[in-house]
Amino acid sequence: MVMEETERRIGLSLGERRTALCTDGGRKQLSFPTVLCRSKRGEEWRIGEAALEMGREGSGFLLEQLFSLYRKGESASLGDRKYSAEELMETFLRLVLEEAGGGEKRDGKEEEGESGEQEESGEQEQGPEALIEEIEDAALEPEDSPVSEEAEAEAEEESGGEAFPDFLPGRSILVVSLRFMDQALMERLRALLSAMLGESFELCILTHTESFIHYMLRQEKLLYNRKVGMFELEDRSLSYYELRVTQGAKKCAFAFSEPQDESISLEALETESGQKTGDRILRRLAERKLQKGNYGLVMLCGKGFENTDFARNFMSYLLKGRKVCTEQQLIALGALYYSEVLAAERTEDCRLLCDSRVCCDISLRVSVRERDKSLILASAGEPWMGLSTEHELILDGQNYIDFRLSPASSMGSASQLRMHLNGFPERKDRSVRIVLKTSFPDGEHFRVEVRDDGFGEIYPSSGAVLTEELDLRKTAGGA
């Protein structure tokens, strides 16, 4: 596919303390604090370092906890005016995206986008299932559900319904990466950005963990033929990530992330005692996480690893038989690389299994025209946010529904979870019609709603409705 010159691909990492932006194939990289400042003399706004400078000079009203305020949906007063969380985040994002559009650079450090390899040491190296008859053949395919109309309408009302200035014409794609999978937060952010950008933008929101996967899959395969560990260090935020890519017919990329209870202040790293403490924390974490695994590569990302001289003991441990690479803007680059996948209208060549993707295949055994089939409700590797289905079924002499959970890889075996329909009417065989709705409140639970839909004029609906959340962590052999 040939990309039009006017089209833009943008990867954006939006964090509590720092925001990073990558575009132009990774050649343009910007990183700056997630802060916003309004001039005391009017509606002149600054972000990042320029905002901090305006605040230090006393010529502006500085807001440092912008992302936290937005996540909580709280308002803030700057001078004599009170702003909603949506207004403040929209202002911040407009200024950020102007950087991507080649507008006047307000602040942020532009960097070259290649990750630098620091050093290398060592070589690289079924049980019985009840039958349920389905009414419509079309129900054999899962359906995506868009963001709620209410959320989009609310964001559009907050922003005044004005479209974003068309400085990025063509089919532009924006991929935003957030640290955690929070469905309510992501829906709000999607509605806000959709109202801002209009139809000229394709928008995707994912997590840092998924960004990590997309970044690694763009690298040489030798770098991830064994486990990959990653340490992300930002101011007062320390996280550990892990990636494993399996080969074979069912190629999968498993990844997870863990925020650590201990954190490191980047300001403290400017002192000798702070450096010793930071080195000790990192060394302990590395020993705990890496001692038993076969790791070929360790990645370091985040502003805290802008310089690793303070962490000599930590680095010496990492370099024993492993490659170590640093890429401060890895998360934003991973988001950018995924925007290029979307632009090419393709998918990754393996299933992605992480906090933003369905962890297993979920299906029912049904009978269609006297032939048994699997009704797929969700497939492993699909983004679970917004994924929902609705099917009309007829029970075949049973008061329960069995859901089959099949692991994405060949490791492990399928398991079964049963939902009992207690309180549903007892009728003749094949005369209980139900409406089955499914959705995901989060990546670990599968919500099922079953409603008695009656059976024509013979059996009116009883109005019975049952809702249950199935724990997907019980999947045998799951990720």
Side-chain angles (χ1 to χ4, degrees):
M1 173 180 290
V2 178
M3 185 186 302
E4 295 181 19
E5 291 185 3
T6 55
E7 296 177 347
R8 301 300 298 273
R9 311 287 173 253
I10 304 169
L12 179 65
S13 171
L14 183 59
E16 290 273 0
R17 294 188 175 273
R18 291 196 73 80
T19 293
L21 171 73
C22 291
T23 187
D24 297 337
R27 292 183 297 277
K28 181 175 183 179
Q29 298 183 25
L30 299 172
S31 176
F32 38 83
T34 308
V35 297
L36 183 65
C37 191
R38 198 203 83 186
S39 170
K40 291 183 177 180
R41 295 184 177 180
E43 290 289 313
E44 182 182 355
W45 297 88
R46 293 287 185 268
I47 61 174
E49 299 293 347
L52 292 175
E53 183 178 354
M54 180 183 282
R56 284 193 296 265
E57 292 173 349
S59 58
F61 302 104
L62 181 64
L63 180 63
E64 296 188 84
Q65 302 297 323
L66 172 64
F67 189 86
S68 177
L69 181 143
Y70 179 72
R71 181 165 43 81
K72 296 173 184 177
E74 298 175 348
S75 59
S77 294
L78 301 180
D80 57 355
R81 181 177 169 187
K82 190 173 185 179
Y83 297 87
S84 69
E86 304 296 322
E87 288 178 305
L88 293 167
M89 181 56 71
E90 178 181 353
T91 300
F92 178 79
L93 290 173
R94 282 178 180 272
L95 294 174
V96 170
L97 291 175
E98 283 180 11
E99 299 284 0
E104 182 182 352
K105 187 164 178 264
R106 286 175 172 75
D107 80 299
K109 178 181 177 183
E110 189 163 346
E111 307 165 0
E112 291 303 318
E114 299 302 321
S115 65
E117 184 177 313
Q118 249 186 277
E119 237 179 288
E120 177 181 354
S121 175
E123 295 294 326
Q124 272 192 276
E125 317 247 319
Q126 183 169 5
E129 297 170 299
L131 299 181
I132 300 178
E133 183 175 1
E134 184 181 25
I135 295 177
E136 295 182 9
D137 294 344
L140 290 174
E141 296 294 334
E143 300 171 3
D144 289 334
S145 174
V147 178
S148 66
E149 293 181 2
E150 292 83 357
E152 289 189 359
E154 181 179 343
E156 184 170 351
E157 183 177 348
E158 286 285 348
S159 66
E162 296 180 0
F164 196 70
D166 193 19
F167 64 86
L168 294 175
R171 180 176 172 251
S172 297
I173 299 177
L174 171 63
V175 177
V176 181
S177 185
L178 303 181
R179 183 173 296 279
F180 302 115
M181 197 73 184
D182 182 326
Q183 184 160 219
L185 173 65
M186 289 181 163
E187 286 184 349
R188 283 177 56 214
L189 186 60
R190 176 183 291 278
L192 174 63
L193 284 166
S194 295
M196 281 174 55
L197 302 175
E199 298 179 357
S200 63
F201 260 85
E202 181 177 342
L203 179 64
C204 177
I205 302 177
L206 42 74
T207 60
H208 283 197
T209 310
E210 185 173 336
S211 289
F212 174 44
I213 297 177
H214 292 301
Y215 176 87
M216 289 308 306
L217 292 180
R218 300 285 85 71
Q219 311 307 314
E220 292 290 337
K221 291 184 179 180
L222 285 176
L223 290 177
Y224 58 82
N225 62 351
R226 290 184 282 167
K227 282 185 181 180
V228 179
M230 184 174 79
F231 298 89
E232 181 186 25
L233 178 58
E234 297 288 358
D235 189 26
R236 297 181 177 85
S237 173
L238 175 61
S239 297
Y240 172 73
Y241 298 70
E242 190 168 292
L243 169 71
R244 175 169 55 92
V245 180
T246 65
Q247 303 300 322
K250 290 186 176 181
K251 185 178 177 182
C252 299
F254 300 88
F256 68 88
S257 63
E258 297 173 339
Q260 303 302 303
D261 293 333
E262 290 184 291
S263 61
I264 300 172
S265 166
L266 299 190
E267 185 177 349
L269 290 181
E270 297 176 3
T271 67
E272 184 176 351
S273 61
Q275 291 177 1
K276 289 180 179 179
T277 301
D279 190 16
R280 185 168 59 251
I281 291 173
L282 291 170
R283 173 68 184 250
R284 255 197 327 257
L285 176 60
E287 290 175 345
R288 192 165 66 246
K289 296 300 181 183
L290 306 180
Q291 62 179 335
K292 295 182 179 179
N294 181 23
Y295 295 85
L297 173 69
V298 175
M299 295 296 306
L300 305 177
C301 81
K303 186 171 180 58
F305 290 122
E306 193 171 38
N307 187 322
T308 59
D309 290 345
F310 76 94
R312 296 185 182 278
N313 291 322
F314 170 65
M315 294 301 296
S316 66
Y317 180 80
L318 295 185
L319 289 163
K320 292 178 180 178
R322 312 177 188 93
K323 285 182 175 292
V324 176
C325 297
T326 60
E327 176 51 79
Q328 289 183 52
Q329 310 311 334
L330 184 149
I331 301 300
L333 281 169
L336 173 66
Y337 295 157
Y338 188 50
S339 74
E340 294 168 351
V341 171
L342 295 175
E345 298 182 350
R346 60 181 179 84
T347 59
E348 299 285 11
D349 62 356
C350 60
R351 287 186 176 189
L352 309 186
L353 300 174
C354 61
D355 52 2
S356 55
R357 302 279 180 150
V358 180
C359 65
C360 60
D361 293 326
I362 307 174
S363 62
L364 296 175
R365 199 70 176 166
V366 300
S367 176
V368 181
R369 298 189 181 92
E370 307 303 326
R371 297 183 62 183
D372 293 352
K373 291 186 177 182
S374 286
L375 172 62
I376 304 299
L377 302 174
S379 297
E382 283 187 288
W384 59 259
M385 193 180 83
L387 179 62
S388 64
T389 65
E390 180 173 335
H391 304 286
E392 290 185 334
L393 308 169
I394 295 177
L395 299 181
D396 188 10
Q398 64 191 62
N399 66 342
Y400 57 86
I401 301 175
D402 285 334
F403 297 90
R404 185 179 179 84
L405 310 181
S406 304
S409 70
S410 56
M411 300 170 59
S413 57
S415 60
Q416 185 172 281
L417 293 179
R418 174 167 291 183
M419 179 179 180
H420 292 278
L421 303 180
N422 298 325
F424 265 56
E426 295 183 4
R427 300 181 185 134
K428 296 180 181 179
D429 288 353
R430 300 193 178 191
S431 60
V432 178
R433 187 204 315 260
I434 64 171
V435 174
L436 177 73
K437 294 182 178 181
T438 68
S439 60
F440 290 85
D442 55 50
E444 297 178 340
H445 296 89
F446 183 59
R447 179 177 291 144
V448 180
E449 179 186 294
V450 182
R451 184 183 77 237
D452 173 31
D453 206 35
F455 199 80
E457 296 180 358
I458 304 175
Y459 299 109
S461 171
S462 65
V465 177
L466 290 176
T467 302
E468 189 171 326
E469 287 188 7
L470 307 179
D471 191 343
L472 300 180
R473 291 171 293 187
K474 297 178 180 179
T475 308

